[in-house]
Amino acid sequence: MGDALRRLAFCDEIVLVADRPTQRTQEIARRHGAQLVAGIFPLDSQRRTAGAEACGGDWILEVEPDEQVDSALAWEIRATLQMRPQGDWFEVPVANYVAGALVERGWGGVLGSVRDARLFRRGAKRWPPRRFGGGVLSGASGGALKGALRRQVAEDVGGLVERLNRLTALAAEDRAEAGHAGGYGAVHGLGHFLGSYVGRAGWREGRLGFLIALLAGLHPVLTHLRAREILETRRRTAGAAAAPELLKVATR
């Protein structure tokens, strides 16, 4: 985290949003001159909204904890904003690394993207209330930058599987909160696999590309099954709680 904050020194201000931050997190924020927004954020959208609202500038650069801004991208961002652009948001390329190696192809959807609208005017991006998912943009695109954010997706193959496990759990909670598990996802899963392995040329990354495509295909299936599991557990719990009340009525 410290290195990521250090690389944001080119910004006019740094806002760090943390859910129940530890003493160490608070110390790191102070050391790098970051404004710490601390709280309890059940939803990812709440955390992002709180961060955007705490920013005082006209433009916001959104950076994840596992990402870093290199000097070339920092210079490009400053130069772009000094030209007073007409657009409301810019797409920023993302360079995805696994075990320290750059993996260029096969990304898309839940595991990782190769570009995202991370530089935007205040108010040009909002986040619907949910645990998982991207933001909604408004206004006009200013184009795409050339420099890339460096994202450490996972330290190893196991980290990729853990990432999928975490993301499907969040997506399943969102679906269960909406009261449905969605479709089974088998057809969508096959489409995601082919889209990653063939459409986005994941096959060119060898075994790692196949794994990324496989995990992308499993995402809709696992999300559906986990959402069903949550809903069924809630129904059983509600039924068990209602049983004593029914017994009381029957014995009166």
Side-chain angles (χ1 to χ4, degrees), residues 1-2 12 17 20 24 54-55 82 85 96 115 118 128 170 177 184 198 217-218 239-240 248:
M1 181 189 300
D12 295 330
V17 185
R20 289 160 286 194
R24 180 174 180 273
C55 293
Q82 286 176 1
N96 297 285
R115 60 180 60 250
R118 297 296 193 85
L170 294 173
E177 194 70 27
Y184 180 68
V198 180
L218 284 173
K248 289 179 183 179

Side-chain angles (χ1 to χ4, degrees), residues 81-114:
L81 297 185
Q82 286 176 1
M83 295 174 63
R84 301 185 180 276
Q86 297 300 311
D88 298 293
W89 47 271
F90 288 86
E91 284 193 332
V92 179
V94 181
N96 297 285
Y97 287 77
V98 177
L102 176 62
V103 182
E104 298 183 271
R105 303 171 185 85
W107 301 105
V110 296
L111 285 181
S113 58
V114 294

Side-chain angles (χ1 to χ4, degrees), residues 70 72-73 76 91-94 145-149:
D70 63 22
L73 176 58
E76 183 182 8
E91 284 193 332
V92 179
V94 181
L145 302 183
K146 295 181 179 180
L149 283 168

Side-chain angles (χ1 to χ4, degrees), residues 12-246:
D12 295 330
E13 62 177 349
I14 303 174
V15 175
L16 174 63
V17 185
D19 189 298
R20 289 160 286 194
T22 63
Q23 189 66 36
R24 180 174 180 273
T25 299
Q26 297 176 38
E27 177 57 33
I28 292 175
R30 283 194 296 268
R31 190 183 310 152
H32 291 86
Q35 175 189 348
L36 179 63
V37 178
I40 300 176
F41 305 105
L43 305 181
D44 179 63
S45 57
Q46 294 173 331
R47 178 175 60 86
R48 295 177 187 275
T49 300
E53 290 177 347
C55 293
D58 295 329
W59 285 86
I60 298 172
L61 174 64
E62 185 182 10
V63 181
E64 297 287 347
D66 58 357
E67 297 172 345
Q68 293 183 357
V69 179
D70 63 22
S71 57
L73 176 58
W75 181 90
E76 183 182 8
I77 291 173
R78 295 290 293 187
T80 299
L81 297 185
Q82 286 176 1
M83 295 174 63
R84 301 185 180 276
Q86 297 300 311
D88 298 293
W89 47 271
F90 288 86
E91 284 193 332
V92 179
V94 181
N96 297 285
Y97 287 77
V98 177
L102 176 62
V103 182
E104 298 183 271
R105 303 171 185 85
W107 301 105
V110 296
L111 285 181
S113 58
V114 294
R115 60 180 60 250
D116 197 6
R118 297 296 193 85
L119 182 64
F120 51 89
R121 292 185 190 273
R122 283 179 56 86
K125 191 174 186 179
R126 62 181 181 84
W127 297 267
R130 54 192 178 192
R131 294 171 179 81
F132 171 74
V136 178
L137 297 166
S138 60
S141 169
L145 302 183
K146 295 181 179 180
L149 283 168
R150 180 187 175 108
R151 175 194 289 152
Q152 184 64 38
V153 181
E155 295 292 341
D156 51 29
V157 168
L160 280 175
V161 178
E162 291 174 4
R163 185 181 181 90
L164 176 70
N165 183 54
R166 182 174 68 256
L167 294 179
T168 55
L170 294 173
E173 286 283 354
D174 279 340
R175 288 194 185 183
E177 194 70 27
H180 66 84
Y184 180 68
V187 175
H188 289 151
L190 179 60
H192 287 185
F193 172 83
L194 293 176
S196 172
Y197 197 65
V198 180
R200 292 186 289 277
W203 60 271
R204 298 181 65 179
E205 300 290 349
R207 297 176 182 176
L208 195 55
F210 179 79
L211 175 61
I212 292 171
L214 180 61
L215 296 179
L218 284 173
H219 178 266
V221 180
L222 290 177
T223 298
H224 167 80
L225 293 175
R226 299 183 81 162
R228 280 190 57 182
E229 186 177 61
I230 294 170
L231 290 171
E232 289 170 1
T233 299
R234 290 179 180 176
R235 281 195 290 267
R236 288 196 299 268
T237 303
E245 297 299 324
L246 293 174

